[in-house]
Amino acid sequence: MNYHYSTSESSIPQYPIKIIDSQLSFGDGEDDWIDVGQNICLHPEWGAATAADEWSLEGYPLPNHLYLKWLSVTEQICYRLDSDIPVGEIQKAFDEKDKNGNGVFRYIVVGMAPIGGVALWLNGYKKSLLVSWSKGE
């Protein structure tokens, strides 16, 4: 099943990061992934999604794996994370509907914190859900 969502990155304001490589994977093939971003991330609010476009009119399956390599500008250290993510919990949240029958969540946000911390949120209108916390090496 395909879902309509956008991806975004986030960092703590005092700890800007530069994403070197990123992939949210939803299958086993070479082209079964979408990019989180390759930006220098300076967000005023931890966990907030930046403006992003939907990836396709057809949507995508929900991701089950995250690969991420980033530079912590403040720490001057590169981190790497290659980890499965809880697709069951993500699907349950994306299947949630508001009183009008619309999906509650629209963004998958990957946040990079000091000491290699990685948060994965689902964000929607006035709603945010932390679905995983990992540690990069």
Side-chain angles (χ1 to χ4, degrees), residues 18-91:
K18 164 72 172 112
I19 297 175
I20 298 165
D21 193 13
S22 65
Q23 294 179 357
L24 275 169
S25 305
F26 47 80
D28 296 328
E30 267 182 36
D31 297 324
D32 293 343
W33 60 273
I34 54 177
D35 197 13
V36 174
Q38 291 188 5
N39 303 312
I40 293 180
C41 191
L42 300 165
H43 286 282
E45 186 178 345
W46 173 236
T50 58
D53 295 326
E54 288 195 8
W55 291 94
S56 80
L57 293 175
E58 296 81 30
Y60 283 106
L62 294 174
N64 57 15
H65 193 86
L66 172 63
Y67 172 78
L68 189 62
K69 186 175 180 182
W70 74 100
L71 168 68
S72 168
V73 175
T74 303
E75 298 170 299
Q76 289 296 295
I77 297 173
C78 278
Y79 293 101
R80 181 179 167 274
L81 177 72
D82 195 0
S83 177
D84 289 338
I85 55 178
V87 69
E89 188 173 344
I90 294 169
Q91 181 175 1

Side-chain angles (χ1 to χ4, degrees), residues 2-22:
N2 286 354
Y3 293 82
H4 293 277
Y5 60 89
S6 296
T7 60
S8 183
E9 69 283 337
S10 181
S11 68
I12 295 173
Q14 297 83 358
Y15 291 88
I17 57 95
K18 164 72 172 112
I19 297 175
I20 298 165
D21 193 13
S22 65

